[in-house]
Amino acid sequence: MNKQSTLARFKRIAWKPLVTDQEGRQDGSKFSGMPWLNGTEEWPRCPNCHKHLQLFLQLNLYDLPTVLLGEFGDGIIQLFYCTSQDPHCEVECEAFFPFAKSVVVRLIPKENKPSVVAIPAIEDLLPPRSIIGWQENYDYPNWEEGNSLGIEMDEIEWEQLSDEGFPGSGDKLGGWPHWIQGVEYPDCPDCGDRMRLVFQIDSNDNLPIEFGDVGCGHITQCETHKERLAFGWACG
Ligand SMILES: [Zn+2]
Ligand SMILES: [Zn+2]
């Protein structure tokens, strides 16, 4: 089998978010800005430093590309992350590992009314970016993940694929993870199944932040237990 037909089975679509530098609807998909909080909920805080967490990403699951509607559940996925430097919660809580306590990643239903809260005074508050559309790209796995899936290609072919920009770096919905270290899908705490990629958040793309030394982060989810989400990142 040649490389093309071997790989074709593993071709996925990754969607690059198209953004504007504006605060969008409260229930809209966005980086930073004002999250949707149901009822009387207050802005989430870090249990380590008790400061407010930063909203990194909100995904309105009704706003996704058509083929993904229902794929990740119903409602809104949110990622909040503690960016406190003093104490340095990222290090103290090992926020690079999935299920760290200074990170909230969750799927919430969208109830009728949001709670009326203002964006709190967070140090180094990230600028809001509203996601207004999705650009479709092809994506392929990296050599290590490819090998584990039984894709038979030699080292040169994998290098070519990597030189062509696969798997894609940068922020993206779906596709294949751009792993910096090894393949690091967490297991679902409920059923033990390997979780799958929802969204990749890269350093210095839509969020002006760096995960360690230009690391790359991934929101993952159990396909069966859609409320089980995780966020982890790795750097070189
Ligand atoms: Zn904290
Ligand atoms: Zn599960």
Side-chain angles (χ1 to χ4, degrees), residues 191-236:
C191 66
D193 281 359
R194 172 185 261 212
M195 294 164 78
R196 41 77 185 261
L197 178 67
V198 177
F199 200 97
Q200 170 171 292
I201 301 181
D202 212 342
S203 289
N204 305 315
D205 192 354
N206 286 296
L207 293 174
I209 46 144
E210 269 194 34
F211 296 110
D213 183 13
V214 286
C216 190
H218 297 100
I219 296 176
T220 50
Q221 181 190 48
C222 175
E223 199 170 343
T224 307
H225 305 102
K226 293 194 164 56
E227 71 287 0
R228 286 295 193 183
L229 290 145
F231 178 73
W233 60 264
C235 64

Side-chain angles (χ1 to χ4, degrees), residues 9-58:
R9 286 167 46 223
F10 297 93
K11 181 160 97 176
R12 284 185 183 167
I13 295 169
W15 286 267
K16 177 185 157 70
L18 304 174
V19 301
T20 57
D21 290 333
Q22 279 168 8
E23 175 68 65
R25 293 193 335 255
Q26 191 173 352
D27 68 349
S29 294
K30 60 180 81 178
F31 295 93
S32 191
M34 184 69 204
W36 181 275
L37 299 167
N38 280 318
T40 55
E41 189 186 5
E42 293 187 5
W43 191 290
R45 288 176 183 265
C46 171
N48 193 53
C49 68
H50 308 292
K51 296 183 214 171
H52 294 101
L53 298 171
Q54 291 245 25
L55 177 70
F56 272 13
L57 180 75
Q58 171 166 289

Side-chain angles (χ1 to χ4, degrees), residues 89-160:
C89 291
E90 185 170 83
V91 173
E92 286 184 11
C93 301
E94 301 188 313
F96 29 88
F97 288 135
F99 313 113
K101 70 173 183 180
S102 64
V103 177
V104 170
V105 53
R106 64 184 187 177
L107 170 61
I108 58 165
K110 191 193 153 197
E111 293 171 3
N112 292 335
K113 274 193 182 161
S115 68
V116 185
V117 291
I119 295 180
I122 295 174
E123 207 178 325
D124 300 319
L125 183 69
L126 300 167
R129 282 199 174 153
S130 184
I131 299 175
I132 54 167
W134 301 98
Q135 181 194 307
E136 203 175 306
N137 298 303
Y138 292 132
D139 215 6
Y140 296 103
N142 76 358
W143 68 270
E144 193 182 359
E145 187 158 12
N147 278 341
S148 75
L149 294 164
I151 304 176
E152 287 180 17
M153 297 200 312
D154 61 34
E155 210 171 307
I156 293 169
E157 289 171 320
W158 282 116
E159 259 172 41
Q160 277 173 355

